[in-house]
Amino acid sequence: MRARHKPWAESYINEHPDVVIQEPERLKGRWAEEFGNEHPIHIEVGTGKGRFITGMAEANPDINYIGIEMFRDIIVTAVQRAEEADKPANLRLLNVNAERLEDIFAPGEIGRVYLNFSDPWPKVRHAKRRLTHDQFLGRYERILPPEGEVHFKTDNRGLFEYSLMNMTDYGMRLADVSLDLHADKPEWNIMTEYEEKFSSKGQPIYRLEAAFRNEGN
């Protein structure tokens, strides 16, 4: 995702430490303390401008949400959105690379991972950068509980097919695979900015849920 450079982004983010957590590794294994409750914690990897994660936090007050975005010029818009929503108490943002997930979350600390409209990295030599590559699946598995789930949406058919195959090969169980999510207009679906843009043009949105297998099964 590309964004126009915002020279004011760093200072704006630093002015909102209650929304964007600085040095999040200090909270590894202690995120329940940060939220002040024992509610499940769901994360979105690649949260972009924050429409999805903020909407989820507003719709589900009994779940804690953390949006993760590595690009400062993009996450600053998510911070603004959180501010406009009166900073939901169950929402936090992290301006970090997803490669650091295991430095930030303890094993089993996260209840669910959302991946929405991730960069497809179409060239074969860039496959390891895809958020559904084995290296990332391994990171998700280690911070999720047994049988933890990854929910994935994309407009890119090539990435979707790759993800279906790779998750299956990894040993995950697939469920609710949709080749046209909006055909049935699900009321529970909260759209991202990209999703609204593409679906308004009639482009199909692909979605799946995948669960890691319990080692005992």
Side-chain angles (χ1 to χ4, degrees), residues 146-160:
E147 302 185 10
E149 295 180 351
V150 175
H151 291 196
F152 174 65
K153 285 194 291 188
T154 183
D155 65 298
N156 188 289
R157 178 136 190 160
L159 178 61
F160 190 70

Side-chain angles (χ1 to χ4, degrees), residues 173-189:
R173 295 193 307 272
L174 302 179
D176 292 331
V177 176
S178 174
L179 299 180
D180 190 356
L181 174 62
H182 291 189
D184 296 327
K185 299 180 180 180
E187 295 182 0
W188 47 262
N189 183 54

Side-chain angles (χ1 to χ4, degrees), residues 1-6 48-49 69-77 117-123 126 129 193-194 197-198:
M1 179 186 296
R2 294 181 179 180
R4 181 179 302 173
H5 177 57
K6 300 179 178 70
K49 297 179 180 179
E69 174 58 56
M70 67 181 292
F71 296 109
R72 182 182 299 153
D73 292 333
I74 295 175
I75 198 172
V76 69
T77 303
F117 299 87
S118 310
D119 192 325
W121 293 106
K123 295 182 179 180
H126 292 154
R129 299 182 186 181
E193 291 86 358
Y194 272 139
K197 174 183 176 181
F198 295 136

Side-chain angles (χ1 to χ4, degrees), residues 21 35 54 73 85 136 141 191 198:
I21 302 299
F35 286 106
T54 302
D73 292 333
F136 282 101
E141 183 178 23
M191 290 195 286
F198 295 136

Side-chain angles (χ1 to χ4, degrees), residues 71-192:
F71 296 109
R72 182 182 299 153
D73 292 333
I74 295 175
I75 198 172
V76 69
T77 303
V79 181
Q80 292 175 315
R81 191 182 296 276
E83 288 290 311
E84 292 169 0
D86 294 326
K87 295 187 288 190
N90 61 332
L91 174 64
R92 300 291 188 276
L93 300 172
L94 305 182
N95 183 203
V96 299
N97 192 312
E99 293 178 355
R100 295 180 54 204
L101 289 177
E102 292 175 86
D103 297 328
I104 296 169
F105 303 112
E109 191 168 24
I110 299 306
R112 181 177 296 168
V113 174
Y114 290 98
L115 305 175
N116 294 314
F117 299 87
S118 310
D119 192 325
W121 293 106
K123 295 182 179 180
V124 174
R125 68 175 183 272
H126 292 154
K128 290 184 178 180
R129 299 182 186 181
R130 298 171 191 161
L131 292 182
T132 52
H133 184 272
D134 286 8
Q135 290 186 4
F136 282 101
L137 294 180
R139 293 182 179 108
Y140 309 147
E141 183 178 23
R142 289 186 286 274
I143 64 173
L144 287 167
E147 302 185 10
E149 295 180 351
V150 175
H151 291 196
F152 174 65
K153 285 194 291 188
T154 183
D155 65 298
N156 188 289
R157 178 136 190 160
L159 178 61
F160 190 70
E161 292 175 349
Y162 166 86
S163 302
L164 279 171
M165 179 181 67
N166 210 49
M167 289 176 169
T168 301
D169 289 347
Y170 194 88
M172 301 179 76
R173 295 193 307 272
L174 302 179
D176 292 331
V177 176
S178 174
L179 299 180
D180 190 356
L181 174 62
H182 291 189
D184 296 327
K185 299 180 180 180
E187 295 182 0
W188 47 262
N189 183 54
I190 292 178
M191 290 195 286
T192 73

